[in-house]
Amino acid sequence: MIEAHIHVLPGIDDGSDSVETSRKMMEILHQQGVDQIIATPHFYAHREKDIETYLAKRQAAYDALGRPENMRLGAEVRIEQGVSQLPGIEKLAFQGSDLILMEFPYAKFAPWMIEEIYNVADFYGLTPIVAHVHRYFDFFTSDQLKRVLSMNGVIFQANNEYLETHKERKLIKGLMKDGYPLVFGSDAHNLKERRPNWDLLVKKTKSVYIEEAMELLKRHLN
């Protein structure tokens, strides 16, 4: 299995706080059947000096971890106005792929958010993945969520935690049944309340949906 959303790099964001924690997270992932990890530390344009500075911090965290062979580097890019115009934004795509993980801000929906996603796709030939799509219930109306789900050429990512609430479980299972392009990730940050949880997904989700998600990722990963 491929972990497509995790904050496992040490000391770069609100995820792993140390190399020791990161290695324990990776050990848990291995025990849960994950073969490949895509590290996706947060990228907030308003907090970073520039993308090159962010990439240097990400590389330093990866180096500190010993450059694991089963890990690719990526980012979880917060959708902000103008983010698609940042020089070098394409460098935040998953290494060896055309995939870029993007998350909506926890704020009321605005049309420019979808425009930024489409701009990243159109300008750079990338395939956006909308992070933890089930989390936007509290911010988007039903019609706004439908607008997000109707975007063409976009993949949707569900955190394995979707199984824990009825509302989120209903949404994601509906997407599965309707054949939406869907991938999974633990979005793990630590070893406690946000630990790797692929065991939950494997136990509670039909294997065919997990297999379809893995095949979708593999088609984009070189």
Side-chain angles (χ1 to χ4, degrees):
M1 295 189 294
I2 303 170
E3 167 66 87
H5 183 176
I6 188 169
H7 300 269
V8 68
L9 292 180
I12 188 172
D13 61 5
D14 61 343
S16 172
D17 57 2
S18 67
V19 169
E20 181 182 8
T21 295
S22 298
R23 288 177 176 164
K24 288 180 179 178
M25 291 172 71
M26 293 175 66
E27 182 179 347
I28 292 171
L29 288 170
H30 177 71
Q31 293 170 353
Q32 293 176 351
V34 173
D35 305 298
Q36 188 172 163
I37 301 168
I38 302 171
T40 54
H42 289 290
F43 175 82
Y44 301 121
H46 66 280
R47 294 183 185 177
E48 298 292 339
K49 178 180 178 182
D50 51 45
I51 287 178
E52 293 302 325
T53 301
Y54 170 86
L55 293 175
K57 291 190 295 184
R58 188 184 69 175
Q59 185 63 43
Y62 180 60
D63 291 346
L65 200 51
R67 301 184 182 184
E69 294 183 358
N70 68 331
M71 181 180 290
R72 296 176 187 238
L73 300 180
E76 181 181 10
V77 181
R78 175 68 60 87
I79 299 167
E80 302 180 26
Q81 286 189 294
V83 70
S84 60
Q85 300 175 32
L86 285 178
I89 191 70
E90 74 280 1
K91 296 178 183 179
L92 302 185
F94 295 174
Q95 286 180 325
S97 84
D98 66 339
L99 299 171
I100 184 166
L101 183 68
M102 305 185 73
E103 68 166 337
F104 282 88
Y106 291 107
K108 291 183 178 180
F109 176 85
W112 64 261
M113 298 175 183
I114 286 181
E115 291 176 8
E116 291 292 343
I117 294 176
Y118 276 138
N119 287 344
V120 167
D122 292 341
F123 296 165
Y124 305 101
L126 297 175
T127 300
I129 301 177
V130 173
H132 38 62
V133 65
H134 51 94
R135 285 191 178 177
Y136 303 123
F137 278 112
D138 295 335
F139 306 95
F140 299 167
T141 66
S142 177
D143 287 342
Q144 290 167 347
L145 190 58
K146 287 179 181 178
R147 288 187 64 180
V148 172
L149 293 173
S150 67
M151 288 190 293
N152 294 321
V154 171
I155 295 172
F156 302 96
Q157 182 258 321
N159 286 4
N160 302 341
E161 69 193 28
Y162 84 88
L163 292 152
E164 296 175 348
T165 68
H166 173 73
K167 189 162 59 174
E168 294 180 354
R169 185 166 62 248
K170 182 179 179 181
L171 170 67
I172 298 303
K173 288 195 172 182
L175 296 183
M176 292 178 189
K177 291 179 181 178
D178 291 339
Y180 280 80
L182 185 72
V183 297
F184 300 101
S186 69
D187 195 8
H189 281 59
N190 51 52
L191 297 168
K192 297 179 181 179
E193 72 280 356
R194 300 190 68 179
R195 70 194 302 274
N197 56 1
W198 283 85
D199 51 344
L200 174 65
L201 185 76
V202 170
K203 183 178 180 180
K204 299 289 186 178
T205 303
K206 290 182 179 180
S207 60
V208 63
Y209 293 128
I210 300 175
E211 291 167 4
E212 288 175 354
M214 296 306 119
E215 287 302 317
L216 176 57
L217 282 172
K218 290 175 182 177
R219 289 198 294 271
H220 288 268
L221 296 171
N222 298 328

